[in-house]
Amino acid sequence: MSKRKNIPMPVIRRLPKYRRYLLELSESDTEKISSTELGIKMGLTPSQIRQDFNCFGDFGQQGYGYNVEVLLSTISEILGMKMKYKFIIIGIGNIGQAIAKYTRFEGIGFELKGIFDINPSLIGLKFRNIEVYDVKFIEEFVKEKNIDIACICIDKRGAQQVCDKLVSSGIKAIWNFAPIDLNVPKDVPLENVHLSESILTLGYLLNEKNK
Amino acid sequence: MSKRKNIPMPVIRRLPKYRRYLLELSESDTEKISSTELGIKMGLTPSQIRQDFNCFGDFGQQGYGYNVEVLLSTISEILGMKMKYKFIIIGIGNIGQAIAKYTRFEGIGFELKGIFDINPSLIGLKFRNIEVYDVKFIEEFVKEKNIDIACICIDKRGAQQVCDKLVSSGIKAIWNFAPIDLNVPKDVPLENVHLSESILTLGYLLNEKNK
DNA sequence: TAGATTGTTAATCGATTAACAATC
DNA sequence: TAGATTGTTAATCGATTAACAATC
């Protein structure tokens, strides 16, 4: 693993999907897989798979294919899954609670360390043994606990302000569920989950069909 | 509005974002906007904006720009927002509940009509006045009520089977939150929200930064 | 009319696919 | 060794950006 520089975003977004299929192959004790076989499973061309993998180095073997365990382990490492990341949730409404209660994130290296809300009636409640704190403590919490990721699940109104606070406290990445485009410095990765825009896409496609 | 044929997917995915910004402009009583101004706001090039809009017809005016109300109304119509869509939720766990309780979907034309689960202890509960039914009634429900969209929020294990049932009952689109690639016929639009893959992307970018 | 800004064609850029020599 | 399949270069495809004539 040595090439990696300026990996195209589409490739990065395919990595978790590769991992998912390789995990399945690993669980069914498949030892090796060729780009052609994997392509059929995943609906990708063999060419694309080889190009993707070669962004990070050559871990295939001519005439053989790819060793499933090696590939899985390599991709997991590329994804940073050998690391643990600390995250907090801001806004423990519908989505915030869903994220808080979802236990699978821990298994892939993301540990929920704190929950924050502005609503006094929620402060003090516990979700999965994590207490809800007043948002006013965010800055000190992020700094002291060295939090990596903030998951923003509040109304769009306060979102930019909270985001600014998080950034100035040294947050390393933002996972945003608020329906707004947040302004963050270039060196703070931002990942949006815009549910309304997602369902609206379906609306468009449905509407198209009925033409 | 007449050109529209084979609109590229990237354009379609930008439509909800255009709508979001136009709504804001409309709320602040802005009458007109040029592709240059809008581009600055949205972080897009003026060229791209004009290309995007011209996929659907020409609703700008040379020397003037675009009328905000006209553009907003046109894009809303293109998105199918003058229609009402009926959707159901399958699996009322963490994510299912978040979707069920989220009231904003109704305002953009998506009405929750039913909730289904396999867990007897959840059947009969109500979320926003919608009762949870046993999954075994899905097929008859989809057919009788002419449901448009199914939001799949169950464990990946049963997801494909449920999906097949939905498709054979005439579901028109699938909104999938299960961490799996569902097999659907080409004419049934599928939109995935893969939260684990989303946060793993952040993990990758964080890991990259620390290099 | 003059200035502004669109609609649209052409150029560029980037990502995907194809081809094939290298090699296990 | 022969067959298979990679790694990699070249060709293609599609999306974005630039340029400019049309026109409000």
Side-chain angles (χ1 to χ4, degrees):
Chain A
M1 196 193 325
S2 50
K3 304 185 178 183
R4 56 153 89 200
K5 49 162 192 178
N6 281 356
I7 312 295
M9 205 57 199
V11 176
I12 297 171
R13 294 205 176 277
R14 278 192 291 272
L15 292 176
K17 184 169 166 172
Y18 284 126
R19 178 182 163 273
R20 187 151 47 81
Y21 280 86
L22 287 165
L23 208 56
E24 206 179 85
L25 286 166
S26 167
E27 278 162 6
S28 68
D29 293 317
T30 310
E31 218 170 76
K32 66 165 183 123
I33 188 131
S34 69
S35 54
T36 307
E37 292 171 287
L38 190 56
I40 290 166
K41 269 187 185 296
M42 295 183 63
L44 303 175
T45 63
S47 268
Q48 182 164 60
I49 291 175
R50 295 205 297 277
Q51 290 278 28
D52 283 358
F53 292 171
N54 275 293
C55 287
F56 302 97
D58 24 329
F59 19 85
Q61 199 169 54
Q62 277 108 326
Y64 172 83
Y66 298 88
N67 178 286
V68 170
E69 290 309 321
V70 169
L71 197 52
L72 175 57
S73 159
T74 310
I75 287 184
S76 300
E77 196 183 330
I78 291 168
L79 277 169
M81 293 178 72
K82 311 260 152 124
M83 308 286 294
K84 290 265 171 265
Y85 298 106
K86 290 177 264 190
F87 81 104
I88 57 173
I89 292 173
I90 299 109
I92 192 70
N94 301 328
I95 286 289
Q97 287 189 32
I99 304 289
K101 291 176 188 163
Y102 193 73
T103 53
R104 302 289 173 85
F105 296 135
E106 212 165 294
I108 55 175
F110 300 87
E111 294 174 340
L112 179 60
K113 289 294 184 186
I115 302 175
F116 296 85
D117 207 291
I118 203 167
N119 184 342
S121 69
L122 294 171
I123 295 166
L125 291 183
K126 280 192 171 186
F127 294 88
R128 285 212 293 130
N129 255 336
I130 308 287
E131 199 178 330
V132 181
Y133 300 109
D134 192 309
V135 270
K136 71 182 174 198
F137 298 120
I138 281 190
E139 285 157 297
E140 106 186 46
F141 192 94
V142 169
K143 280 180 202 158
E144 274 176 21
K145 305 252 179 179
N146 226 312
I147 300 299
D148 297 294
I149 302 171
C151 174
I152 297 184
C153 301
I154 61 178
D155 196 273
K156 72 170 178 209
R157 272 189 298 279
Q160 183 61 60
Q161 204 192 341
V162 165
C163 177
D164 292 342
K165 272 195 198 176
L166 289 160
V167 167
S168 72
S169 312
I171 202 78
K172 301 192 189 71
I174 302 273
W175 199 22
N176 175 49
F177 286 74
I180 186 180
D181 295 315
L182 293 171
N183 254 303
V184 289
K186 270 192 307 298
D187 64 329
V188 177
L190 166 67
E191 176 79 8
N192 288 305
V193 181
H194 287 165
L195 295 181
S196 293
E197 302 194 2
S198 176
I199 199 172
L200 278 173
T201 304
L202 279 184
Y204 170 87
L205 296 167
L206 275 176
N207 195 36
E208 266 316 275
K209 273 213 305 190
N210 300 332
K211 281 265 154 73
Chain B
M1 194 194 325
S2 50
K3 304 184 177 183
R4 53 156 91 201
K5 48 163 193 180
N6 280 355
I7 310 296
M9 206 56 200
V11 176
I12 297 171
R13 293 204 176 278
R14 278 192 293 272
L15 292 176
K17 184 169 166 174
Y18 285 126
R19 177 183 164 271
R20 186 149 51 78
Y21 280 86
L22 287 166
L23 208 55
E24 207 178 83
L25 287 166
S26 167
E27 278 162 5
S28 67
D29 292 316
T30 309
E31 218 170 75
K32 67 167 182 122
I33 188 134
S34 70
S35 55
T36 307
E37 293 170 286
L38 191 58
I40 290 166
K41 270 187 187 294
M42 295 183 62
L44 302 175
T45 62
S47 269
Q48 184 165 59
I49 291 176
R50 296 205 295 278
Q51 288 278 28
D52 283 359
F53 292 171
N54 275 293
C55 287
F56 301 98
D58 24 331
F59 19 86
Q61 199 168 55
Q62 277 107 327
Y64 171 85
Y66 298 89
N67 178 286
V68 171
E69 289 310 322
V70 170
L71 197 53
L72 175 56
S73 160
T74 311
I75 287 183
S76 300
E77 196 182 329
I78 291 168
L79 277 169
M81 292 178 73
K82 312 261 153 123
M83 307 286 294
K84 290 265 170 268
Y85 297 107
K86 290 177 265 188
F87 82 102
I88 56 173
I89 292 172
I90 298 108
I92 193 72
N94 301 328
I95 285 289
Q97 287 189 30
I99 303 289
K101 291 176 188 162
Y102 192 72
T103 53
R104 302 290 174 84
F105 295 135
E106 212 164 294
I108 54 175
F110 300 87
E111 294 173 339
L112 179 59
K113 290 295 186 185
I115 301 174
F116 296 84
D117 205 292
I118 204 167
N119 184 342
S121 70
L122 294 170
I123 294 165
L125 291 183
K126 279 191 172 188
F127 295 88
R128 287 212 292 129
N129 256 335
I130 306 288
E131 199 177 329
V132 180
Y133 300 108
D134 191 308
V135 270
K136 72 182 173 198
F137 298 121
I138 281 191
E139 285 157 296
E140 112 188 40
F141 192 94
V142 168
K143 280 181 201 157
E144 275 176 20
K145 306 251 178 180
N146 226 313
I147 300 299
D148 297 293
I149 302 171
C151 175
I152 297 185
C153 301
I154 60 179
D155 195 273
K156 74 170 180 211
R157 271 190 298 280
Q160 183 60 59
Q161 204 191 342
V162 165
C163 177
D164 291 343
K165 271 194 196 176
L166 289 161
V167 167
S168 72
S169 311
I171 202 78
K172 301 191 189 70
I174 301 273
W175 198 23
N176 176 49
F177 286 73
I180 185 180
D181 296 314
L182 294 170
N183 254 302
V184 290
K186 269 192 307 302
D187 64 328
V188 176
L190 166 68
E191 175 78 8
N192 287 305
V193 180
H194 286 166
L195 294 181
S196 293
E197 302 193 2
S198 176
I199 199 172
L200 278 174
T201 304
L202 279 184
Y204 170 87
L205 296 168
L206 275 175
N207 195 37
E208 266 317 275
K209 273 214 304 189
N210 301 332
K211 281 267 154 75

